[in-house]
Amino acid sequence: MTEDAACAVAHGEVPVDTGGRTLAAVFASPVAEFLLRYGRDLGFRPVLIEPDAERAVPEGVDVLAAVPELGPEVDVVVTDHHRPELGPLLRDVLAHDVRWVGIMGNPRHAGPHVAALQELGVPDAEIKRVHRPIGLNIGSRTPPEIAIATLAGLLADRNDKPGGFAF
């Protein structure tokens, strides 16, 4: 019997090319911890951008106090939209040619990032680069569920697929 190449990948016999992607979570949070942990398992290089050195950060993750140089291999997820540093950090992310940027939040409420970025003079075209809501709509409520939904959306996008159950 001939084995399908996808089966060999699923059995861990063949490495998957993830394109050298980096997953940058902005702000330490329970969701960021799961996002970065699971992201590493999915082939992302995990990075946390956290300006507050007093906040707890997950082990084994590069932690940066400010937005570094970011390129087109980077996916950025803002995990807390209540932080006062939201506008400046998101402005700094948008100054780079990142592949994808999104911010968590309830789609039934206005995103606070819009007003924060407008106050900083960020052009509307740049503000529109920020995805919200993010992830697949699976009814996520807990930090691990939100991380899984977010990563599923990033994987679908990375693999040029729509997500969901359409094949």
Side-chain angles (χ1 to χ4, degrees):
M1 179 168 134
T2 305
E3 194 166 305
D4 184 326
C7 287
V9 170
H11 291 285
E13 297 164 4
V14 177
V16 177
D17 179 14
T18 60
R21 293 278 170 81
T22 295
L23 175 60
V26 177
F27 301 132
S29 70
V31 171
E33 186 172 339
F34 286 103
L35 191 68
L36 295 171
R37 181 185 322 161
Y38 299 159
R40 180 184 303 111
D41 292 339
L42 295 170
F44 290 94
R45 181 180 149 258
V47 173
L48 176 65
I49 301 169
E50 175 52 71
D52 183 351
E54 299 296 315
R55 295 206 181 235
V57 297
E59 289 185 34
V61 174
D62 292 335
V63 181
L64 307 169
V67 176
E69 284 298 316
L70 300 172
E73 76 289 350
V74 179
D75 296 322
V76 179
V77 178
V78 179
T79 66
D80 187 342
H81 58 265
H82 297 290
R83 296 276 297 268
E85 311 98 320
L86 174 66
L89 277 172
L90 202 46
R91 174 202 57 206
D92 294 349
V93 165
L94 291 170
H96 299 278
D97 184 27
V98 296
R99 193 191 75 77
W100 188 92
V101 61
I103 183 170
M104 294 184 179
N106 188 329
R108 293 184 298 274
H109 303 119
H113 68 287
V114 175
L117 290 170
Q118 287 172 335
E119 287 177 23
L120 294 170
V122 175
D124 287 341
E126 289 297 300
I127 295 171
K128 289 178 182 173
R129 289 176 52 203
V130 180
H131 295 268
R132 186 172 177 273
I134 61 174
L136 298 185
N137 182 1
I138 59 173
S140 305
R141 289 188 168 47
T142 67
E145 292 173 344
I146 294 166
I148 288 169
T150 301
L151 286 164
L154 288 173
L155 286 174
D157 188 65
R158 177 173 88 184
N159 295 326
D160 198 27
K161 300 294 181 189
F165 288 100
F167 288 89

